[in-house]
Amino acid sequence: MAIEFHCPYCTATIRVSDGHSGKRGTCPKCATKLIVPAVARPGIDSAAPRTADVKPPDTTAVGGPVGDMPAVGVSGEAVPPAFLPAEATPSIARTLKRQRRRNRSQKLFTVGIPVLFLLLFVGSLAAVMMTMNKPKVLAGTLPATGRGDEKLPPARITASILDLTPDEAQSVLSDFEADPAAFLSSQMQCRITRDGDSLSVTVSPGNGFQWFAVDPSANRDLLEWIREHRAALEKHRAQELEAAGTALCHDRLKQASGERVVLDAARYRDEFGLNAHCDAFGYAIEAFAENRVARCAHEDEQGRLYFALPESTVSFTLAGRALSDESLRFPGTYTVNVTGHVQPVDMEGSVDPSAAGSGDTTSGDDAKQTGSGANSDDMTNRDGTMNQE
C-alpha cells in the first residue's frame, strides 16, 4: 500500500510506500524537509512500532536515492525514503525561470506593442514631412495658344502712387494728354497716355509678331510656387513700377520745361509699362524663342501670361529673369508648346510708329542710335549681342 500526499511548500504530489509512514524525508522537487503522514496499517497497533518490527526500507528509488537529507528510522539509522513522484515535475528553479520568462513576454507585449506603434507613427510623420519639405522640381511642359487677333485691355496707373507733388501730377497728366508717349520696336508697341487721373498703358504686338498666352495653372507645383512667392514678388514689382513711373514723369516735366532729355525707352517700357500690365509671376519670368528673349507683356485675371513672339513660333522656353533681389528669382524652366494657333489679323488701335509724340520720345531703333544704352525691344541674342532689326 502506498502513501500519497502533497508537499506543503511546492504542492508536488509525492507517493511513498506505507513503510515510510511517520518518517522524515526531503521533497524530491524543492528539497524541503518534511514528515511522511502517519497511516495505520491493518493488523498493527497504531502505537509506535517496535525496533525489531521495523524493516529497512528500500533505499533505491526510481532514479536513485531521493533528497540530500535522509529520513531517520526508529532505531536511529539513516533510512532515506523512496519518494516516487506521481509524475515528473520540473524543479523550482526551472519553474521560476519559466515564470520570469512569461512575465518578460507579457511586459514586452504590453509595453513593446504601443512603443512599436508609436515608432511607426513617428516614422510615417517624418516621411510625410520629408516629402513636404522636398524641393519641388519646377520643370516640365506648359500649353500655350496663339492670340494674334486679341486686343489686350489697357492698364491704368493712378498718378497718386507716384512720388509727385499734386502740382507735378496735374502737370504731367496734362502733358501726357497733349503728347502721349510711345515706345516702339519691331516686337512690341507700348503707348502711354492720360485717362482721367491715371496714366493708361496699352501694348500690342509688332509687325510679324503676335500674342502667345501661357497657362501656368496646368502645373500644380508651379501654382504652389506662385502662391508662396506672390506677396514678395508683388511688393518688388510695385516698388520698381513706382520708381520707373516717377522717373518717367520727372523726365517729361523736364522736357516740358525745355530741357533736352533722352528718355530711357527700354526701362520705361519694361519697368513701368509692362509692370503695369503684369502681376507677380509675369514680373518674374521671360520667354526664349528663336534666339530672342521677351518680357511678359500682360497677365490677365485668370493668370494667363502674354508674350509677343514671332508668328511662326511653335514652342518656346519659360525661365526666371534676373532680378535685383536674387532670392526672388524663379528657379524653374518650362517648355511651352503652342497647342492652338490663330492666324494674326490687323488689330484695331495698334500704335502707328509715326504717331510718336514730339516730346523726344524714341522708338527702339532711335534708342540705340541716341546712345541711351538700351534697346527698347529688349530682344537680345543668347550670346548677348543686340538684334539689328
Side-chain angles (χ1 to χ4, degrees), residues 124-211:
S124 302
L125 186 61
V128 171
M129 293 298 294
M130 289 179 63
T131 302
M132 293 176 61
N133 294 331
K134 185 178 179 181
K136 302 292 184 182
V137 178
L138 297 173
T141 60
L142 292 172
T145 54
R147 302 282 184 134
D149 59 344
E150 186 163 354
K151 184 177 181 180
L152 300 180
R156 291 177 173 82
I157 303 298
T158 59
S160 60
I161 72 166
L162 305 178
D163 188 13
L164 302 171
T165 66
D167 290 341
E168 288 176 335
Q170 189 59 42
S171 297
V172 81
L173 288 173
S174 299
D175 183 58
F176 273 106
E177 183 178 18
D179 188 11
F183 304 108
L184 314 172
S185 70
S186 61
Q187 174 202 359
M188 184 189 305
Q189 302 170 356
C190 177
R191 186 180 179 89
I192 305 174
T193 186
R194 178 179 181 174
D195 183 2
D197 61 351
S198 303
L199 293 177
S200 176
V201 182
T202 57
V203 291
S204 59
N207 225 5
F209 290 78
Q210 72 167 1
W211 296 127

Side-chain angles (χ1 to χ4, degrees), residues 140-146 212-215 313-318 334-341:
T141 60
L142 292 172
T145 54
F212 289 86
V214 182
D215 186 7
T313 301
V314 294
S315 70
F316 55 95
T317 301
L318 211 61
Y334 285 87
T335 299
V336 182
N337 297 318
V338 180
T339 57
H341 201 86

Side-chain angles (χ1 to χ4, degrees), residues 8-22:
Y9 180 76
C10 68
T11 71
T13 302
I14 304 174
R15 187 171 60 246
V16 298
S17 62
D18 57 359
H20 298 291
S21 175

